[in-house]
Amino acid sequence: MIKTTFLSLALLLAGGFSATAKDYPVSSAKELSALHLKPGDRVLMKEGNWKDQQLKFKGMGLQGRPIVLMAANQGKTILNGNSTLDIDGSWLLVDGLSFAKGALDSGEVINFSEKSFSCRLTNTSITDYNSVDDKVDYTWVSLRGTHNRVDHCLLQGKSHQGVTMVVWLSEKPNYHQIDHNYFGPRPELGRNGGETIRIGTSTWSFHDSFTIVEQNIFEHCDGEIEAVSVKSGKNIIRNNLFYECKATLTLRHGNHSEVTGNYFIGNGKPGTGGVRIIGEDHRVHDNYFQDLTGTGNSAAISVMAGLPNPILVSHWQVKNAVITDNLVVNCKEPFAIAAGYRKDRYLPALNTYFAKNIIVSNSDPLKWYDEKVIVNFEDNLIYSTSFSGEKGRGFELKNEQLKKNSDGLFLRPGQADFKPFWKSEQVGPSGFSNLNKKIIIN
């Protein structure tokens, strides 16, 4: 009897909460700011062009009952001019907005505030939101706060100064999630400040972020050498596709990050790179590299030389890097050791371990930029039918060819056919399914 009473009360309360949730149609930022939103409420942004609208989305939702800001019809609420969005609260959900062909003088197009918690941006696009002056510096998406998520969004065409998406650090770890987004073409900027994602800053790089970046597509993200720049500790970058990017995934500052399951497809495009390692205790494993042409800092896997007595913005010495189970196919420079070496940057990698990697190559997989460096190689395999290089210790030659799967990807020995994530899952906003069809592997 008591259990039945409690169950009836719970159902009654749930029904009461549902009944109090409201939909609020709005046609301006002013109307949005005037609302006093409660858990379960939805704000429906009317169709049309929203020009010069500074949206302030505030509220305290609940887990399972977020407050929602959404386009009444996805993709048909277009924000332009100098329009921006500030997400400030907890359990807030933004869904289906489009920012197109606007421009700012500074700041960010979309900002998660320092107090934001468990907020989400999804099915939203930012395209060609550029200042006429490419030296004007602003960010498209800034992630502050904790436990926020950006997913199934499209960001492409950034041609001015500033990082496309930044995770800003604080005394607390972030625990953000960035997944299933499409980061489209970004032309070369010609200077620093053209990253697509940056996690942290040099001055905060000894703080841990615990950010996860997974199952995103980076296509032609050529802004600068670092498509993804990790400047904090304990992050995971996994199962992403870097497609014809004249750039690298760079562990630039901070320690204890993991890079796993990523695909780097160069298709012979000049300057295409892989993973660049700086710092301590990083793990780089089970990644796939194919037809990359980069060398030195932009090699498939580049282990950098370090500076003595480094300051926070310096290249710190590599220590305890573990590089295992990677597949490197037809890359110009599979492994670069002591890349960036020069008279004032000479500290060798310490206790660095390459094991069980598979290299498909007809020449030496190693490029030594400082031959005094001692690196441990163990159980690595070279697959080739016409190898002409020196194997060296820790490398075994296999006079064989690897098989390919139905999508043109090489298979490891004994690996069954599979569909890569960009073929089997939606990446980018719904309605943009054609994105995945552009991925061609030569």
Side-chain angles (χ1 to χ4, degrees):
M1 184 67 178
I2 294 176
K3 290 183 178 180
T4 303
T5 302
F6 276 124
L7 179 60
S8 300
L9 178 60
L11 291 172
L12 180 62
L13 290 173
F17 282 136
S18 178
T20 60
K22 296 181 180 180
D23 284 353
Y24 295 94
V26 296
S27 56
S28 69
K30 183 177 180 180
E31 291 181 8
L32 172 62
S33 295
L35 298 175
H36 299 283
L37 299 167
K38 297 178 180 179
D41 286 348
R42 299 193 309 169
V43 181
L44 307 178
M45 296 174 62
K46 293 181 179 179
E47 289 185 22
N49 287 323
W50 289 52
K51 186 177 181 181
D52 301 335
Q53 298 292 305
Q54 280 67 58
L55 301 171
K56 304 292 184 182
F57 182 33
K58 293 188 175 185
M60 304 295 287
L62 297 172
Q63 185 173 11
R65 289 178 54 78
I67 301 171
V68 180
L69 174 68
M70 61 186 296
N73 290 297
Q74 183 178 326
K76 294 186 178 181
T77 299
I78 311 299
L79 295 111
N80 49 35
N82 63 4
S83 293
T84 59
L85 169 63
D86 190 61
I87 302 169
D88 184 14
S90 59
W91 299 104
L92 302 179
L93 170 61
V94 177
D95 188 0
L97 307 189
S98 297
F99 291 79
K101 297 183 179 179
L104 306 181
D105 294 326
S106 61
E108 44 260 321
V109 180
I110 299 176
N111 175 54
F112 289 76
S113 77
E114 293 180 358
K115 295 181 180 179
S116 62
F117 169 77
S118 291
C119 296
R120 181 182 177 191
L121 175 70
T122 189
N123 286 317
T124 291
S125 63
I126 307 177
T127 57
D128 303 320
Y129 223 77
N130 295 309
S131 172
V132 174
D133 181 357
D134 71 1
K135 293 184 175 61
V136 175
D137 189 337
Y138 56 93
T139 301
W140 281 13
V141 179
S142 279
L143 277 159
R144 296 178 171 89
T146 64
H147 296 86
N148 296 315
R149 182 184 180 193
V150 179
D151 67 283
H152 296 91
C153 292
L154 179 150
L155 296 92
Q156 66 178 5
K158 191 175 195 291
S159 60
H160 63 90
Q161 185 78 28
V163 184
T164 304
M165 180 181 293
V166 180
V167 173
W168 299 96
L169 303 180
S170 67
E171 294 295 341
K172 295 180 180 179
N174 301 115
Y175 297 104
H176 294 321
Q177 185 172 345
I178 302 167
D179 64 283
H180 294 89
N181 302 289
Y182 172 82
F183 295 93
R186 178 165 189 184
E188 290 184 61
L189 187 62
R191 54 187 178 272
N192 287 335
E195 303 98 322
T196 296
I197 293 179
R198 192 186 73 216
I199 306 173
T201 60
S202 300
T203 52
W204 283 79
S205 56
F206 280 96
H207 289 73
D208 294 331
S209 179
F210 289 96
T211 289
I212 296 175
V213 179
E214 63 182 344
Q215 294 186 299
N216 303 283
I217 292 176
F218 299 84
E219 180 176 9
H220 295 169
C221 293
D222 303 339
E224 62 151 82
I225 190 174
E226 300 174 13
V228 173
S229 181
V230 178
K231 294 186 175 182
S232 54
K234 296 183 180 177
N235 302 288
I236 298 175
I237 317 296
R238 66 187 176 203
N239 302 334
N240 301 282
L241 169 64
F242 294 82
Y243 182 73
E244 295 184 358
C245 292
K246 189 178 180 181
T248 62
L249 190 173
T250 299
L251 301 173
R252 182 63 182 86
H253 292 299
N255 305 317
H256 301 280
S257 284
E258 181 179 12
V259 176
T260 180
N262 301 285
Y263 293 81
F264 299 81
I265 309 295
N267 284 334
K269 176 184 172 181
T272 46
V275 177
R276 188 160 65 122
I277 302 171
I278 304 164
E280 300 182 15
D281 300 298
H282 297 306
R283 295 182 62 224
V284 178
H285 63 97
D286 295 285
N287 300 286
Y288 181 101
F289 307 85
Q290 182 175 340
D291 297 319
L292 303 175
T293 61
T295 61
N297 294 352
S298 297
I301 298 178
S302 176
V303 177
M304 295 286 291
L307 279 167
N309 304 312
I311 59 177
L312 283 173
V313 298
S314 298
H315 288 78
W316 286 66
Q317 188 175 22
V318 176
K319 298 179 181 179
N320 309 318
V322 178
I323 302 159
T324 61
D325 298 290
N326 299 287
L327 177 56
V328 186
V329 179
N330 300 329
C331 293
K332 185 171 183 179
E333 206 167 277
F335 300 146
I337 311 299
Y341 174 86
R342 62 191 189 204
K343 288 184 178 179
D344 65 333
R345 188 163 65 202
Y346 57 82
L347 291 180
L350 297 179
N351 194 31
T352 298
Y353 183 63
F354 285 79
K356 299 181 181 179
N357 300 289
I358 297 175
I359 304 97
V360 178
S361 175
N362 293 327
S363 58
D364 195 335
L366 298 177
K367 174 66 175 180
W368 297 85
Y369 288 85
D370 177 12
E371 295 185 357
K372 299 187 296 295
V373 176
I374 298 175
V375 177
N376 300 310
F377 298 98
E378 184 177 327
D379 297 330
N380 300 286
L381 300 177
I382 301 173
Y383 277 75
S384 176
T385 56
S386 58
F387 185 78
S388 59
E390 296 182 12
K391 297 192 297 295
R393 297 175 64 181
F395 289 86
E396 179 184 350
L397 180 61
K398 295 283 186 179
N399 189 21
E400 304 172 27
Q401 291 183 332
L402 294 179
K403 296 179 180 179
K404 292 184 178 181
N405 76 351
S406 55
D407 293 303
L409 294 164
F410 283 83
L411 296 168
R412 290 172 168 83
Q415 184 179 13
D417 196 2
F418 67 97
K419 284 289 181 185
F421 76 89
W422 63 89
K423 292 283 187 178
S424 57
E425 297 190 37
Q426 178 191 322
V427 177
S430 58
F432 287 83
S433 58
N434 61 319
L435 292 175
N436 298 351
K437 298 177 183 177
K438 297 166 66 177
I439 305 304
I440 299 172
I441 300 172
N442 292 342

